[in-house]
Amino acid sequence: MTFDELNLAPAILKAVHETGYETPTPIQAQAIPAVLAGHDLLAGAQTGTGKTAAFTLPMLHRLSQSAAPKNKFGGKGIRALVLTPTRELAAQVEESVREYGKYLDINSTVVFGGVGMNPQIDRVKRGVDILVATPGRLLDLQQQGFLDLSTVQVLVLDEADRMLDMGFIHDVKKVLALVPREKQSLLFSATFSDEIRDLANTLLKNPQSIQVTPSN
Ligand code: AMP
């Protein structure tokens, strides 16, 4: 299979070709068509499998096909929210979003704790299509009234098992209560404990399940 067979927008394919990737990895080959078709997804995949592009590419495609909603502040509303366990992963994911989306009229930003809040508040207030965040800082910003998550159409939980291992289950549940019920949800996890399965059962509607083994 080639990337050209995946029905992604030409602007996305151009950015993918520039990265030098030749063929989709197994998780990409399976996840991209499912996400493009609007399905929820339960994906078993570790870092190194190409999981970031597996959700980022079809998410960018879908967002590029529709107009941005307005948030309650009158700016561009957040359409996709990606939660990650660590700031390093959040920064990496947002960098991928920028890279794959560089020929699209879609913007993104990243918020995480341990750094000043004001620059994050400024960027979020100006309006953003895709927000990548760690749960704690996201809730801080929301509780202070700087975030409107009511326009979210796609929710991604990346490395959900690590998120739970790090004690973020309550924060994740709070975030789930702030986004609309009607949305597309994608859950990526390397392992599947009962807790992850419970989370998947609450969040996902008729999900497609994908499991890949890591490539070395
Ligand atoms: P990830 O699992 O998303 O952390 O990605 C692992 C690494 O694989 C990253 O450095 C990506 O840039 C790279 N990568 C992602 N997709 C592909 C692909 N289709 N072909 C080659 N490398 C890729």
Side-chain angles (χ1 to χ4, degrees):
M1 173 177 274
T2 65
F3 278 103
D4 296 328
E5 292 166 60
L6 287 170
N7 296 315
L8 292 164
I12 298 172
L13 284 178
K14 183 170 181 223
V16 169
H17 286 309
E18 285 178 10
T19 63
Y21 304 166
E22 282 168 7
T23 48
T25 64
I27 186 87
Q28 291 163 3
Q30 296 174 71
I32 292 171
V35 178
L36 286 178
H39 293 293
D40 281 6
L41 197 66
L42 180 61
Q46 294 172 325
T47 299
T49 53
K51 67 182 169 61
T52 313
F55 62 79
T56 305
L57 298 175
M59 179 171 88
L60 284 166
H61 178 96
R62 282 173 64 88
L63 298 188
S64 73
Q65 307 287 304
S66 65
K70 285 252 185 283
N71 64 23
K72 68 178 185 190
F73 312 111
K76 196 154 73 152
I78 297 163
R79 288 189 281 165
L81 174 64
V82 183
L83 288 185
T84 74
T86 65
R87 46 174 146 165
E88 291 77 16
L89 184 60
Q92 260 174 44
V93 168
E94 203 252 345
E95 203 173 300
S96 297
V97 168
R98 276 175 199 263
E99 178 159 16
Y100 304 138
K102 65 183 170 185
Y103 299 115
L104 297 172
D105 184 20
I106 286 179
N107 69 352
S108 59
T109 198
V110 59
V111 302
F112 47 68
V115 297
M117 235 187 239
N118 286 336
Q120 298 177 353
I121 294 170
D122 286 345
R123 283 198 304 275
V124 166
K125 268 188 173 168
R126 269 183 265 136
V128 53
D129 297 295
I130 300 177
L131 181 64
V132 185
T134 52
R137 177 56 59 96
L138 183 81
L139 286 172
D140 265 2
L141 291 168
Q142 206 278 335
Q143 278 152 14
Q144 293 185 43
F146 297 116
L147 266 187
D148 176 5
L149 297 177
S150 70
T151 55
V152 168
Q153 298 163 358
V154 185
L155 175 71
V156 183
L157 301 188
D158 193 14
E159 301 197 359
D161 49 351
R162 272 178 82 199
M163 212 132 45
L164 300 198
D165 289 345
M166 291 173 68
F168 286 135
I169 185 68
H170 295 294
D171 284 351
V172 169
K173 285 190 173 156
K174 279 185 199 163
V175 174
L176 298 189
L178 295 168
V179 296
R181 256 179 183 283
E182 201 50 46
K183 63 184 174 301
Q184 185 176 26
S185 303
L186 318 175
L187 189 154
F188 285 76
S189 192
T191 58
F192 288 92
S193 61
D194 289 347
E195 213 179 9
I196 290 286
R197 296 209 177 274
D198 284 349
L199 182 64
N201 288 337
T202 2
L203 177 66
L204 306 173
K205 293 191 199 102
N206 300 321
Q208 297 226 331
S209 288
I210 297 175
Q211 178 71 47
V212 298
T213 45
S215 64
N216 293 311

